Amino acid sequence: ADFSTSGQSGFGLAPFCSLVKHWQLLGKNEPTAQLVEVIANSNIGEHSIASLKGDWHIVPAPATDAEADVDAIGLSVKENYFRLEFGGAPQQEPPVEVGHTVTFIGQALRISRMLSGCIRIYSRESGEDVQLEIQRLLSTPVQMEGSKRSGWERRGTESSAASPPQTSMMP
């Protein structure tokens, strides 16, 4: 599956869902590896959080055919995610392993080349900025699929010559 649509959690591939944003933290405190993804659900009109938690360590990079003649062995990052949550609820999924080589460009940019060959680019953000962005996205409605909305949700937004939309008011 394509990471740009599925995310690392895979929830972006669920019906009516799509990956909106993805963050990663490789830190020192347990759990040392954390991924947070915001997933849009156009069936219910809301964003949800998918998160993976685990650990990471440095390992020798697997040699490619092009590197077979090189004496030096590179290093890569190996992430092991053993806990998956969606909407705050634990999910029963097998552990996820991710491997990649890393290049830092200054203090604010990290480029990860995945073993699959795809490239992910991460920019450094403060924890506070990430939390604010997550809260902003969670409070932003997702445009719903028109045909999937219930009659109650469509009431007043779709007109018909036979029956005009009805409204109600609270005194």
Side-chain angles (χ1 to χ4, degrees), residues 21-24 107-111 120-126 130:
K21 200 143 184 187
H22 164 100
W23 292 271
Q24 180 183 52
Q107 295 290 317
L109 199 60
R110 182 181 87 206
I111 299 174
R120 298 182 193 168
I121 300 173
Y122 293 94
S123 62
R124 183 179 295 260
E125 296 180 58
S126 73
V130 170

Side-chain angles (χ1 to χ4, degrees), residues 47-110:
H47 290 96
S48 295
I49 299 292
S51 65
L52 290 128
K53 297 177 182 179
D55 57 28
W56 67 278
H57 37 282
I58 304 294
V59 297
T64 64
D65 291 339
E67 296 170 333
D69 296 330
V70 179
D71 290 334
I73 295 177
L75 298 175
S76 67
V77 175
K78 183 177 180 184
E79 305 162 27
N80 298 297
Y81 295 101
F82 46 81
R83 182 175 174 94
L84 172 63
E85 297 177 357
F86 186 71
Q91 305 296 304
Q92 297 298 320
E93 294 293 326
V96 175
E97 278 192 13
V98 180
H100 53 96
T101 57
V102 177
T103 301
F104 291 93
I105 299 178
Q107 295 290 317
L109 199 60
R110 182 181 87 206

Side-chain angles (χ1 to χ4, degrees), residues 146 149-160 164-167:
R149 294 185 298 166
S150 70
W152 178 257
E153 292 166 324
R154 287 192 310 269
R155 181 168 291 179
T157 62
E158 298 174 2
S159 62
S160 162
Q166 297 179 1
T167 60

Side-chain angles (χ1 to χ4, degrees), residues 24-52:
Q24 180 183 52
L25 172 66
L26 300 177
K28 295 178 184 177
N29 299 326
E30 294 292 332
T32 59
Q34 297 182 62
L35 286 172
V36 175
E37 297 175 338
V38 176
I39 306 294
N41 184 323
S42 63
N43 191 44
I44 62 173
E46 295 179 353
H47 290 96
S48 295
I49 299 292
S51 65
L52 290 128

